[in-house]
Amino acid sequence: MEAELQHLQTEARADLAALTDAPGLEAFRVKYLGRKGLCTTVMRSLGAVPDAERPRLGKLANDVRQDLEAAFAAREAELATSQAVSGAVRPDLTLPGRLSPFGKLHPVTQVMDEVCGIFAGLGFAVAEGPDVELDYYNFEALNIPPHHPARDMHDTFYISDSVLLRTHTSPMQVRAMQKAAPPLRMIAPGKVYRCDSDITHTPMFHQVEGFLVDRKVSFGDLKGVLSVFIAKMFDAKTPIRFRPSFFPFTEPSAEVDIGCVICKGVGCRVCKKTGWLEILGAGLIDPAVFKMVGYDPDAYTGFAFGLGMERIAMLKYGITDIRLFYENDLRFLAQF
Ligand code: DAH
């Protein structure tokens, strides 16, 4: 029994020295000093010891217990102070608070807000419409009947024969004109979808559609509005040119180029050495569209334009791969 006591004492002291935290201390207390702990077990076994030996062994057992209790208290105090010093127990209230990082708007959203802000300043109202659109609004009412070759320009995601993901924001022209009589001055920002993916195309991208309908609206009005927009969006001195083009829903139609914002017109890789960058499609609204929505084409004229947001964001920030916008890499996004 004497050897057993000695063994208990050495083992317990080694355990105690290895302890580092409060849960460890508690486990030690239960194992050695608790009501069902090892010290108590040894005490109980004193009953089986011969009478002559009992007083000496009893005292020895008591000494061991007291020694362990004192050592336990000392270790407890020691750990408490060392944890207080390392700050683990008492928080340092003088430390500055931990900042949570601020979220920011996505660069494409920022550009879209800026575009909408400029047109809102010119008196355009903002309207939004569905991403899942009817073939009727996306094509038919825009003077693109079934089998029209212009449908090939849009790599359409069809949901059924008559339902699709809109390939442009132009259907908002029809939805807005159906709802209200002229005069009308609106922009429609939103997502559009085409089955296309490379360094300048993503299957989902953003457009802002703009249109104005009134009596005696001319191509000159379109030029004036777009010139103001481009001066505000880029630089007041940015040159603009209108190139004749074709869209089924405008007549005449044009594509609008601006002087390359990267090389200032000298010629570079981005503008393919032409000095010009195409940034939007536009034109005077085709009378066929007016007929579709019940506007009198003899009384009203109007202009429309469609702008690609990713394209503008890429030019504004000098980004060469459109896919960067949708990889959600915070190292990229945090720069805006
Ligand atoms: N919807 C056309 C496209 O996505 C862009 C466009 C061209 C919009 C001419 C217009 C417009 O409003 O007048 O390719």
Side-chain angles (χ1 to χ4, degrees):
M1 170 144 190
E2 210 169 329
E4 202 183 328
L5 275 167
Q6 236 154 39
H7 179 72
L8 176 69
Q9 191 172 25
T10 1
E11 198 175 83
R13 279 192 160 267
D15 273 7
L16 202 56
L19 285 183
T20 53
D21 56 11
L25 279 169
E26 179 55 15
F28 176 92
R29 196 191 60 75
V30 172
K31 179 175 173 189
Y32 292 103
L33 306 171
R35 263 192 315 122
K36 292 178 186 160
L38 292 175
C39 285
T40 314
T41 317
V42 175
M43 290 290 203
R44 289 229 176 91
S45 64
L46 277 173
V49 166
D51 287 354
E53 283 287 280
R54 197 170 300 124
R56 192 179 64 84
L57 288 175
K59 182 171 181 313
L60 196 62
N62 249 330
D63 288 350
V64 168
R65 188 188 179 99
Q66 273 165 19
D67 172 66
L68 290 182
E69 271 170 358
F72 176 78
R75 184 79 186 125
E76 194 172 36
E78 199 175 281
L79 281 179
T81 30
S82 78
Q83 279 177 344
V85 169
S86 72
V89 169
R90 258 189 308 153
D92 181 352
L93 299 182
T94 67
L95 286 173
R98 221 172 281 147
L99 290 180
S100 20
F102 279 109
K104 280 191 242 165
L105 291 176
H106 190 278
V108 171
T109 309
Q110 288 184 32
V111 167
M112 191 138 83
D113 286 353
E114 193 178 341
V115 170
C116 291
I118 293 171
F119 284 108
L122 294 170
F124 285 72
V126 181
E128 284 181 313
D131 292 16
V132 179
E133 185 55 284
L134 293 174
D135 181 283
Y136 176 77
Y137 288 109
N138 197 82
F139 291 127
E140 238 175 300
L142 287 166
N143 203 25
I144 316 175
H147 312 300
H148 191 289
R151 289 197 177 208
D152 297 343
M153 283 167 32
H154 303 235
D155 302 292
T156 312
F157 287 112
Y158 276 95
I159 288 167
S160 70
D161 284 348
S162 58
V163 181
L164 45 76
L165 295 181
R166 66 178 176 188
T167 59
H168 53 177
T169 44
S170 302
M172 283 304 290
Q173 293 184 32
V174 181
R175 287 183 172 272
M177 289 192 261
Q178 271 184 349
K179 264 196 210 134
L184 216 64
R185 190 164 24 166
M186 296 186 100
I187 49 167
K191 291 181 166 66
V192 300
Y193 306 83
R194 290 185 200 178
C195 188
D196 207 350
S197 184
D198 59 38
I199 64 165
T200 52
H201 298 90
T202 47
M204 182 281 298
F205 58 105
H206 297 77
Q207 287 187 338
V208 170
E209 191 79 8
F211 44 98
L212 183 150
V213 183
D214 205 341
R215 294 178 195 277
K216 299 200 177 84
V217 175
S218 71
F219 207 93
D221 295 319
L222 170 64
K223 268 183 119 167
V225 166
L226 291 179
S227 304
V228 170
F229 163 71
I230 286 162
K232 284 189 189 276
M233 194 71 204
F234 295 98
D235 185 309
K237 293 195 198 77
T238 312
I240 314 176
R241 71 175 185 187
F242 286 69
R243 262 185 304 108
S245 185
F246 174 80
F247 298 103
F249 38 92
T250 43
E251 184 58 37
S253 303
E255 278 172 314
V256 178
D257 298 342
I258 58 169
C260 180
V261 291
I262 312 286
C263 65
K264 306 285 173 218
V266 179
C268 67
R269 224 163 49 98
V270 176
C271 63
K272 299 197 183 87
K273 307 256 187 249
T274 62
W276 293 96
L277 296 163
E278 185 203 319
I279 65 154
L280 60 93
L284 291 186
I285 297 173
D286 196 300
V289 176
F290 283 156
K291 280 187 203 144
M292 288 282 197
V293 298
Y295 279 14
D296 178 358
D298 294 324
Y300 294 100
T301 51
F303 65 71
F305 54 86
L307 281 159
M309 290 302 102
E310 281 77 0
R311 177 119 175 106
I312 292 186
M314 287 170 81
L315 295 176
K316 221 175 141 75
Y317 299 121
I319 296 161
T320 50
D321 186 341
I322 194 174
R323 292 170 295 198
L324 284 168
F325 287 129
Y326 300 111
E327 280 166 0
N328 285 336
D329 186 333
L330 279 179
R331 290 169 303 178
F332 170 78
L333 294 176
Q335 297 175 60
F336 303 95

